Amino acid sequence: MIKCFKERDFICLNDFSCEELYFYLHIAQHIKYQTKLGLFSSVLRNKNLAMIFQKPSLRTRTSFQIGMNQLGGSALYISPNEIQLGKRESTKDVACVLSGYVDGIMARVFSHEDILDLAEHANVPVINGLSDLLHPCQALADYLTILEHFGRIQGLTLCYVGDGNNVCHSLMYGASKFGVNMKVACPKGYEPDKKVQKEAGANGLSLTITNDPIEGVCGADIVYTDTWTSMGQEKEHDKRLRTFIDFQLSSELLAHAKDDHIVMHCLPAHRGEEITDEVIDGPHSVVYEEAENRLHAQKAILALNL
Ligand code: CP
Ligand code: NVA
């Protein structure tokens, strides 16, 4: 099993089988307990990860940096201005040059095409640290959080409320692999990407899309939201605030979910917009566990793929 991950890119959860995704989760849990006990493996000794960022980050940057350090390796942060992917030089040249220096590339980009371009030309594994289309590291950590909380994943109902965006897409691919019933409650025109719907549907995803947040949340084990305005959409902020106003996670809305539901948010949260203080700070919220699990899930990816 371990061999089949070596030198593989981590771009989309759809590139992995259900068995492989569970394997990541089991390794992540193992690494998490080891870390808690103060036991640190040096499996990535002398290995280096380049981290390309076209957008800001707290969780992704810190957890990859710390994850590499804890596994005995190092990470190098490359800022948007420094590299200017595709402007100062071609993405192909960046991929080929970095492949001569490092053992893996993690990139956060605007266009998903840039991740695909990096992966095509690099001869080291490329990890998608968020693109306009997908956020697979987030979703892997989220399914780890769900597994820890419920002791299982299959058969649960996850309702994503808000914009059918990159985070929603990765959750959908994951749901299609793990056998999660997925509901998406979003305003008209903000539904998830059709291609993602089709591909996740081909894996057998049970998907309900509704424009009614109450219908969406009804019977949900997990209620998930994300910002209404993703990075790169700042000019649309005011319009989106008006469009999404009925899709805020409030105590009133969550009264329709199962009594023992959990509330998830990938963060950063815009308190008072997509989620109220009362909900994010309330007893159902697992947002900080989710954020911590980015570290453990990504260490599994780094340990297996690099
Ligand atoms: N959730 C997440 O990816 O956070 P950052 O944008 O801070 O990395
Ligand atoms: N959808 C958000 C996720 C941030 C982690 C964005 O792309 O900005």
Side-chain angles (χ1 to χ4, degrees):
M1 185 56 141
I2 287 177
K3 269 195 197 148
C4 76
F5 292 97
K6 270 288 160 251
E7 291 174 16
R8 249 169 105 177
D9 299 317
F10 190 86
I11 291 178
C12 175
L13 295 191
N14 204 34
D15 300 335
F16 297 89
S17 67
C18 174
E19 196 189 5
E20 288 169 339
L21 292 178
Y22 269 116
F23 195 70
Y24 276 125
L25 298 187
H26 291 142
I27 296 292
Q29 282 186 304
H30 179 75
I31 289 179
K32 181 171 179 173
Y33 296 131
Q34 275 196 321
T35 308
K36 301 268 179 208
L37 290 170
L39 300 170
F40 293 97
S41 150
S42 52
V43 68
L44 294 183
R45 211 164 106 207
N46 296 328
K47 298 232 175 177
N48 292 291
L49 178 76
M51 306 193 298
I52 299 174
F53 279 92
Q54 289 188 327
K55 299 173 178 175
S57 167
L58 169 64
R59 281 143 291 270
T60 306
R61 178 178 175 182
T62 315
S63 53
F64 269 104
Q65 172 85 60
I66 302 294
M68 282 301 291
N69 295 350
Q70 288 183 348
L71 292 169
S74 312
L76 175 77
Y77 170 72
I78 304 173
S79 72
N81 283 345
E82 237 169 306
I83 193 159
Q84 298 170 42
L85 202 65
K87 289 192 194 96
R88 185 164 181 265
E89 58 192 312
S90 71
T91 305
K92 176 185 174 185
D93 288 349
V94 170
C96 293
V97 170
L98 283 177
S99 296
Y101 301 144
V102 297
D103 305 282
I105 300 170
M106 189 280 290
R108 165 166 287 194
V109 298
F110 282 100
S111 164
H112 190 66
E113 284 302 313
D114 286 340
I115 286 281
L116 298 176
D117 255 15
L118 280 171
E120 184 186 341
H121 298 293
N123 53 26
V124 295
V126 170
I127 300 171
N128 182 358
L130 180 146
S131 67
D132 57 353
L133 186 70
L134 299 171
H135 199 359
C137 297
Q138 180 68 51
L140 189 71
D142 293 338
Y143 284 110
L144 174 62
T145 310
I146 291 168
L147 177 64
E148 285 179 339
H149 187 87
F150 292 99
R152 68 189 172 102
I153 305 179
Q154 193 183 12
L156 295 171
T157 298
L158 187 161
C159 176
Y160 178 96
V161 183
D163 186 21
N165 63 13
N166 44 9
V167 170
C168 178
H169 295 154
S170 286
L171 289 169
M172 285 169 64
Y173 281 127
S176 76
K177 298 283 174 168
F178 287 120
V180 167
N181 307 310
M182 181 119 182
K183 295 165 103 181
V184 178
C186 59
K188 264 198 176 32
Y190 293 88
E191 290 83 5
D193 183 85
K194 283 271 184 302
K195 186 167 171 257
V196 176
Q197 286 188 44
K198 199 169 157 210
E199 287 180 353
N203 298 335
L205 176 67
S206 141
L207 174 67
T208 307
I209 298 181
T210 173
N211 303 129
D212 176 357
I214 295 178
E215 186 195 331
V217 161
C218 245
D221 299 289
I222 303 140
V223 183
Y224 199 118
T225 195
D226 180 19
T227 182
W228 294 335
T229 309
S230 285
M231 292 179 275
Q233 299 172 333
E234 288 78 6
K235 282 192 186 135
E236 298 172 34
H237 180 252
D238 291 350
K239 180 182 165 220
R240 283 173 171 266
L241 264 188
R242 290 191 299 275
T243 309
F244 283 84
I245 196 71
D246 295 333
F247 292 81
Q248 183 186 63
L249 292 198
S250 61
S251 299
E252 293 72 38
L253 179 61
L254 289 163
H256 298 275
K258 283 193 181 160
D259 290 344
D260 61 349
H261 72 273
I262 58 170
V263 171
M264 302 184 79
H265 190 311
C266 60
L267 306 180
H270 305 84
R271 289 163 174 259
E273 294 186 16
E274 72 272 8
I275 192 161
T276 62
D277 280 327
E278 192 185 13
V279 168
I280 199 166
D281 296 327
H284 296 276
S285 171
V286 297
V287 299
Y288 301 129
E289 288 92 317
E290 229 187 310
E292 183 191 321
N293 277 339
R294 291 291 304 276
L295 173 66
H296 309 299
Q298 287 160 197
K299 280 169 78 179
I301 300 169
L302 292 167
L304 286 168
N305 292 46
L306 257 55

